[in-house]
Amino acid sequence: MNAPSAQESSPPSAEKLALIHRFMKSSGLQSRIDTGIFLERYAFIPELGWRQGTENAPEKNTLIGEWKGPIDALKGVYEKYRPQYQEAYEGHINWEFSEEELRGIVSFLESPLGKHYLDGSWRMEAYTGTNMEETEEMIVREAVQLYQAR
């Protein structure tokens, strides 16, 4: 069962805004907003046309270079939109969590156990993502076959 959100529509107090910022920093969200790293996945989608008009680009000579150009372009454009992401996340965190909830969450995330949880979660996702690649490929192949056979 999902926990209900606080649904706070009033602007946050200075104290709550400070908690929101601590939450964003301790959870790793602020780093993702600051860097725009969440956009990198789009650099690996050739259907977006990344290669068009870049036949003579020097970075095309290496696989990393092929991705670096699109990643750099995404991050460059992202910079002008970064404040919108910041505002959207701050607003939603204010809406979602009460000040008391944020105090508890931040206290946990900043504790040794919370830091271990965050590090362990990242490692778990990386480990299972790598070790389950073949299984996921099989799932996708079977799902495509099932879908095409209907």
Side-chain angles (χ1 to χ4, degrees), residues 12-139:
S13 66
E15 184 179 345
K16 187 173 183 186
L17 187 58
L19 284 168
I20 289 170
H21 290 159
R22 284 175 58 199
F23 167 79
M24 293 174 73
K25 183 177 180 196
S26 61
S27 69
L29 177 57
Q30 189 63 58
S31 176
R32 292 190 300 276
I33 291 170
D34 289 345
T35 63
I37 196 167
F38 56 90
L39 293 170
E40 287 184 4
R41 68 181 185 269
Y42 293 107
F44 306 104
I45 303 174
E47 293 82 10
L48 292 175
W50 291 113
R51 294 183 178 173
Q52 294 172 342
T54 63
E55 292 77 16
N56 298 321
E59 68 268 6
K60 296 268 303 178
N61 297 330
T62 67
L63 189 56
I64 292 173
E66 267 189 57
W67 295 329
K68 186 176 180 337
I71 288 170
D72 289 347
L74 284 161
K75 288 183 176 182
V77 172
Y78 168 71
E79 274 309 304
K80 69 180 176 184
Y81 296 96
R82 196 187 91 52
Q84 289 175 266
Y85 279 87
Q86 185 76 35
E87 185 178 317
Y89 275 103
E90 287 176 8
H92 187 78
I93 293 166
N94 179 56
W95 183 85
E96 187 68 40
F97 302 107
S98 69
E99 192 169 325
E100 181 181 332
E101 289 172 322
L102 278 171
R103 255 189 233 95
I105 294 167
V106 168
S107 177
F108 169 71
L109 292 176
E110 291 177 346
S111 73
L113 180 59
K115 289 176 183 177
H116 183 188
Y117 166 76
L118 292 169
D119 286 344
S121 295
W122 178 89
R123 286 189 299 269
M124 177 182 59
E125 291 299 321
Y127 176 82
T128 55
T130 299
N131 290 328
M132 297 303 293
E133 282 177 345
E134 291 177 14
T135 303
E136 286 183 15
E137 288 173 11
M138 286 191 308
I139 290 169

